[in-house]
Protein backbone atom coordinates (compact mmCIF):
# COMPACT_ATOMS: atom_id res chain seq x y z
CA UNK A 1 0.00 0.00 0.00
CA UNK A 2 1.01 3.59 -0.50
CA UNK A 3 2.04 5.92 2.30
CA UNK A 4 3.06 9.55 2.36
CA UNK A 5 5.36 11.09 4.94
CA UNK A 6 6.04 14.67 5.88
CA UNK A 7 8.59 16.10 8.25
CA UNK A 8 8.99 17.81 10.49
CA UNK A 9 5.54 17.67 12.05
CA UNK A 10 5.94 21.07 13.69
CA UNK A 11 8.39 23.87 13.19
CA UNK A 12 8.93 27.27 14.80
CA UNK A 13 11.23 29.56 12.84
CA UNK A 14 12.19 33.24 13.13
CA UNK A 15 11.48 35.72 10.38
CA UNK A 16 14.26 35.76 7.82
CA UNK A 17 15.41 32.20 8.46
CA UNK A 18 15.48 29.51 5.75
CA UNK A 19 12.95 26.71 5.42
CA UNK A 20 13.03 23.16 4.15
CA UNK A 21 10.02 20.84 4.38
CA UNK A 22 10.21 17.34 3.01
CA UNK A 23 7.61 14.99 1.63
CA UNK A 24 8.16 11.41 0.48
CA UNK A 25 5.81 8.84 -0.97
CA UNK A 26 6.21 5.08 -0.69
CA UNK A 27 4.57 2.27 -2.60
CA UNK A 28 4.05 4.00 -5.92
CA UNK A 29 6.11 5.30 -8.79
CA UNK A 30 5.92 8.40 -10.95
CA UNK A 31 3.22 10.12 -8.89
CA UNK A 32 1.98 13.65 -9.35
CA UNK A 33 2.94 15.60 -6.22
CA UNK A 34 1.39 18.71 -4.69
CA UNK A 35 2.13 21.26 -1.96
CA UNK A 36 -0.75 23.12 -0.28
CA UNK A 37 -0.90 25.69 2.47
CA UNK A 38 -3.82 25.91 4.84
CA UNK A 39 -4.12 29.18 6.71
CA UNK A 40 -5.92 29.56 10.02
CA UNK A 41 -9.10 30.41 8.18
CA UNK A 42 -9.21 26.83 6.88
CA UNK A 43 -9.07 27.16 3.07
CA UNK A 44 -6.47 25.24 1.08
CA UNK A 45 -4.22 27.05 -1.35
CA UNK A 46 -2.33 25.07 -3.97
CA UNK A 47 1.29 26.25 -4.00
CA UNK A 48 3.15 23.90 -6.34
CA UNK A 49 2.66 20.72 -8.26
CA UNK A 50 5.03 18.37 -10.04
CA UNK A 51 4.44 15.75 -12.71
CA UNK A 52 8.01 14.43 -12.72
CA UNK A 53 11.58 14.84 -11.52
CA UNK A 54 12.69 18.43 -11.93
CA UNK A 55 9.27 19.52 -13.24
CA UNK A 56 7.69 22.12 -10.96
CA UNK A 57 4.69 24.34 -11.62
CA UNK A 58 3.95 27.28 -9.36
CA UNK A 59 0.39 28.38 -8.76
CA UNK A 60 1.03 31.62 -6.88
CA UNK A 61 3.97 34.03 -6.71
CA UNK A 62 5.62 34.01 -3.30
CA UNK A 63 8.95 33.62 -1.57
CA UNK A 64 8.61 29.84 -1.52
CA UNK A 65 10.08 27.37 -3.98
CA UNK A 66 9.76 23.66 -4.57
CA UNK A 67 12.02 20.96 -5.91
CA UNK A 68 11.68 17.32 -6.86
CA UNK A 69 15.13 15.75 -6.78
CA UNK A 70 13.83 12.18 -6.84
CA UNK A 71 10.70 10.52 -8.18
CA UNK A 72 9.00 10.22 -4.79
CA UNK A 73 10.51 13.20 -2.98
CA UNK A 74 9.09 16.72 -2.96
CA UNK A 75 10.72 19.57 -1.04
CA UNK A 76 9.32 22.99 -0.14
CA UNK A 77 11.90 25.68 0.58
CA UNK A 78 12.37 29.32 1.37
CA UNK A 79 15.52 31.41 1.67
CA UNK A 80 13.93 33.94 4.05
CA UNK A 81 10.68 33.30 5.86
CA UNK A 82 8.00 35.95 6.31
CA UNK A 83 5.41 36.12 9.06
CA UNK A 84 2.76 35.45 6.42
CA UNK A 85 4.35 32.07 5.68
CA UNK A 86 2.90 30.66 8.91
CA UNK A 87 0.37 27.92 8.32
CA UNK A 88 -0.27 24.23 7.93
CA UNK A 89 1.57 22.77 4.94
CA UNK A 90 0.20 19.70 3.29
CA UNK A 91 1.76 17.45 0.70
CA UNK A 92 -0.38 15.22 -1.50
CA UNK A 93 0.06 12.69 -4.31
CA UNK A 94 -2.04 11.11 -6.98
CA UNK A 95 -1.38 8.27 -9.35
CA UNK A 96 -1.15 8.38 -13.10
CA UNK A 97 -4.02 6.94 -15.08
CA UNK A 98 -6.00 3.85 -14.15
CA UNK A 99 -8.94 5.92 -12.98
CA UNK A 100 -7.13 7.30 -9.96
CA UNK A 101 -8.03 10.95 -9.72
CA UNK A 102 -8.21 11.54 -6.00
CA UNK A 103 -5.29 12.99 -4.09
CA UNK A 104 -3.95 11.45 -0.92
CA UNK A 105 -2.59 13.76 1.73
CA UNK A 106 0.25 13.54 4.20
CA UNK A 107 -0.08 14.38 7.90
CA UNK A 108 1.07 17.97 7.42
CA UNK A 109 3.66 20.32 8.91
CA UNK A 110 2.59 23.12 11.25
CA UNK A 111 4.88 26.10 10.62
CA UNK A 112 4.94 29.09 12.93
CA UNK A 113 7.08 32.04 11.92
CA UNK A 114 7.89 34.32 14.85
CA UNK B 1 -12.17 28.36 -14.46
CA UNK B 2 -13.65 25.84 -12.07
CA UNK B 3 -15.00 26.66 -8.63
CA UNK B 4 -16.62 25.03 -5.63
CA UNK B 5 -19.00 26.61 -3.14
CA UNK B 6 -19.77 25.30 0.32
CA UNK B 7 -22.46 27.70 1.49
CA UNK B 8 -22.41 26.71 5.16
CA UNK B 9 -19.50 27.53 7.46
CA UNK B 10 -20.91 25.17 10.07
CA UNK B 11 -23.55 22.47 10.27
CA UNK B 12 -24.93 21.32 13.61
CA UNK B 13 -26.74 18.01 14.00
CA UNK B 14 -27.69 15.75 16.88
CA UNK B 15 -26.21 12.28 17.08
CA UNK B 16 -28.42 9.74 15.34
CA UNK B 17 -29.98 12.29 13.03
CA UNK B 18 -29.25 12.44 9.30
CA UNK B 19 -26.72 14.97 8.12
CA UNK B 20 -26.19 16.87 4.89
CA UNK B 21 -23.19 19.03 3.96
CA UNK B 22 -23.83 21.07 0.84
CA UNK B 23 -21.58 21.63 -2.16
CA UNK B 24 -22.17 23.23 -5.54
CA UNK B 25 -19.67 23.39 -8.35
CA UNK B 26 -18.87 25.10 -11.61
CA UNK B 27 -16.65 23.43 -14.21
CA UNK B 28 -16.40 23.15 -17.94
CA UNK B 29 -16.78 19.64 -19.23
CA UNK B 30 -17.56 16.58 -17.15
CA UNK B 31 -17.14 17.15 -13.41
CA UNK B 32 -14.88 14.99 -11.29
CA UNK B 33 -15.95 15.63 -7.69
CA UNK B 34 -14.51 14.67 -4.33
CA UNK B 35 -15.20 14.89 -0.62
CA UNK B 36 -12.49 14.98 2.05
CA UNK B 37 -12.58 15.12 5.84
CA UNK B 38 -10.01 16.76 8.11
CA UNK B 39 -9.64 16.19 11.83
CA UNK B 40 -7.76 18.79 13.92
CA UNK B 41 -4.08 19.08 13.04
CA UNK B 42 -4.31 16.20 10.59
CA UNK B 43 -4.08 15.85 6.84
CA UNK B 44 -7.14 15.48 4.66
CA UNK B 45 -8.67 12.04 4.31
CA UNK B 46 -10.38 11.01 1.09
CA UNK B 47 -14.03 10.02 1.58
CA UNK B 48 -15.52 9.49 -1.86
CA UNK B 49 -15.55 10.59 -5.47
CA UNK B 50 -17.86 10.96 -8.42
CA UNK B 51 -16.33 10.36 -11.82
CA UNK B 52 -19.17 8.86 -13.81
CA UNK B 53 -22.02 6.40 -13.37
CA UNK B 54 -24.56 6.27 -10.57
CA UNK B 55 -25.54 9.60 -9.11
CA UNK B 56 -25.41 8.19 -5.57
CA UNK B 57 -21.85 7.50 -4.55
CA UNK B 58 -20.98 5.53 -1.41
CA UNK B 59 -17.77 6.15 0.46
CA UNK B 60 -15.92 5.57 3.70
CA UNK B 61 -17.38 5.62 7.23
CA UNK B 62 -20.98 5.35 6.00
CA UNK B 63 -20.92 8.58 4.02
CA UNK B 64 -22.52 8.98 0.64
CA UNK B 65 -22.95 11.82 -1.82
CA UNK B 66 -25.58 12.62 -4.38
CA UNK B 67 -24.53 14.08 -7.72
CA UNK B 68 -27.13 16.31 -9.34
CA UNK B 69 -26.09 17.58 -12.75
CA UNK B 70 -29.03 19.92 -13.27
CA UNK B 71 -28.43 21.65 -9.93
CA UNK B 72 -24.62 21.35 -10.21
CA UNK B 73 -24.55 19.98 -6.69
CA UNK B 74 -22.71 17.21 -4.89
CA UNK B 75 -24.07 17.10 -1.33
CA UNK B 76 -22.52 14.84 1.29
CA UNK B 77 -24.93 12.79 3.39
CA UNK B 78 -25.04 10.25 6.16
CA UNK B 79 -28.20 8.60 7.47
CA UNK B 80 -27.19 8.64 11.13
CA UNK B 81 -24.56 11.02 12.48
CA UNK B 82 -21.97 10.06 15.09
CA UNK B 83 -20.20 12.39 17.51
CA UNK B 84 -16.95 11.15 15.96
CA UNK B 85 -18.07 12.58 12.59
CA UNK B 86 -17.40 16.06 13.96
CA UNK B 87 -14.69 17.47 11.70
CA UNK B 88 -14.00 19.84 8.80
CA UNK B 89 -15.33 18.69 5.44
CA UNK B 90 -14.07 19.80 2.05
CA UNK B 91 -15.64 19.44 -1.35
CA UNK B 92 -13.31 19.58 -4.38
CA UNK B 93 -13.49 19.52 -8.16
CA UNK B 94 -10.77 18.32 -10.48
CA UNK B 95 -9.32 21.01 -12.71
CA UNK B 96 -9.45 20.65 -16.45
CA UNK B 97 -5.71 21.25 -16.75
CA UNK B 98 -4.92 17.57 -17.01
CA UNK B 99 -2.53 17.50 -14.07
CA UNK B 100 -5.15 16.32 -11.56
CA UNK B 101 -4.99 19.54 -9.59
CA UNK B 102 -8.02 20.14 -7.40
CA UNK B 103 -9.97 23.24 -6.50
CA UNK B 104 -11.31 23.04 -2.95
CA UNK B 105 -14.25 24.69 -1.28
CA UNK B 106 -13.60 26.69 1.87
CA UNK B 107 -14.76 23.87 4.09
CA UNK B 108 -17.74 23.20 6.34
CA UNK B 109 -17.35 22.42 10.02
CA UNK B 110 -19.66 19.62 11.09
CA UNK B 111 -20.53 19.49 14.80
CA UNK B 112 -22.45 16.46 16.05
CA UNK B 113 -23.85 16.84 19.53
CA UNK B 114 -24.44 13.86 21.86
Amino acid sequence: SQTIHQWPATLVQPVGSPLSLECTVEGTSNPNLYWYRQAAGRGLQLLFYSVGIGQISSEVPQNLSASRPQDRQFILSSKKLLLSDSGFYLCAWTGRGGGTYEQYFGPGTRLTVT
Amino acid sequence: AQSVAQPEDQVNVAEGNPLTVKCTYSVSGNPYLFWYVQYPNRGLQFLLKYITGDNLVKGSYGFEAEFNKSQTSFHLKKPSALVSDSALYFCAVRDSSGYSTLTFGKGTMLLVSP
Side-chain angles (χ1 to χ4, degrees):
Chain A
S1 64
Q2 301 87 8
T3 56
I4 179 168
H5 304 279
Q6 287 187 246
W7 64 89
T10 61
L11 192 60
V12 180
Q13 293 283 93
V15 168
S17 64
L19 173 73
S20 181
L21 303 181
E22 190 164 345
C23 169
T24 59
V25 181
E26 296 178 354
T28 187
S29 59
N30 201 25
N32 288 347
L33 296 171
Y34 310 85
W35 276 112
Y36 292 87
R37 177 169 57 204
Q38 186 176 28
R42 85 173 51 163
L44 281 93
Q45 179 185 35
L46 177 63
L47 301 176
F48 301 94
Y49 65 92
S50 171
V51 299
I53 296 174
Q55 301 178 62
I56 309 295
S57 296
S58 174
E59 287 294 294
V60 291
Q62 58 215 332
N63 71 320
L64 299 172
S65 62
S67 62
R68 186 170 177 175
Q70 301 180 39
D71 181 46
R72 290 170 289 177
Q73 184 184 31
F74 204 22
I75 297 172
L76 184 69
S77 303
S78 175
K79 293 182 179 179
K80 290 185 178 182
L81 283 169
L82 307 173
L83 285 174
S84 57
D85 291 324
S86 293
F88 192 48
Y89 287 82
L90 292 161
C91 180
W93 74 274
T94 189
R96 300 282 190 87
T100 300
Y101 302 104
E102 63 270 22
Q103 293 181 13
Y104 294 95
F105 285 78
T109 295
R110 175 74 60 188
L111 171 66
T112 303
V113 182
T114 60
Chain B
Q2 57 283 326
S3 65
V4 173
Q6 293 182 242
E8 304 152 316
D9 284 343
Q10 183 168 306
V11 170
N12 297 296
V13 63
E15 187 173 33
N17 284 356
L19 70 87
T20 299
V21 183
K22 296 179 180 178
C23 171
T24 59
Y25 66 90
S26 174
V27 65
S28 59
N30 294 323
Y32 292 2
L33 299 161
F34 308 85
W35 274 102
Y36 287 84
V37 61
Q38 185 181 32
Y39 295 96
N41 294 310
R42 303 286 295 275
L44 276 68
Q45 295 180 32
F46 169 70
L47 283 178
L48 51 81
K49 64 182 176 184
Y50 173 83
I51 304 300
T52 186
D54 290 340
N55 290 341
L56 186 63
V57 179
K58 294 189 182 297
S60 306
Y61 312 119
F63 284 94
E64 58 190 25
E66 187 171 9
F67 171 69
N68 188 316
K69 187 174 183 178
S70 63
Q71 297 185 5
T72 61
S73 67
F74 189 54
H75 300 332
L76 181 70
K77 300 182 179 183
K78 187 174 183 180
S80 179
L82 299 173
V83 172
S84 57
D85 292 330
S86 298
L88 187 57
Y89 290 80
F90 289 96
C91 182
V93 63
R94 181 174 183 253
D95 300 340
S96 56
S97 65
Y99 298 114
S100 293
T101 54
L102 298 178
T103 296
F104 285 85
K106 62 180 175 59
T108 297
M109 181 65 70
L110 173 66
L111 294 178
V112 182
S113 56

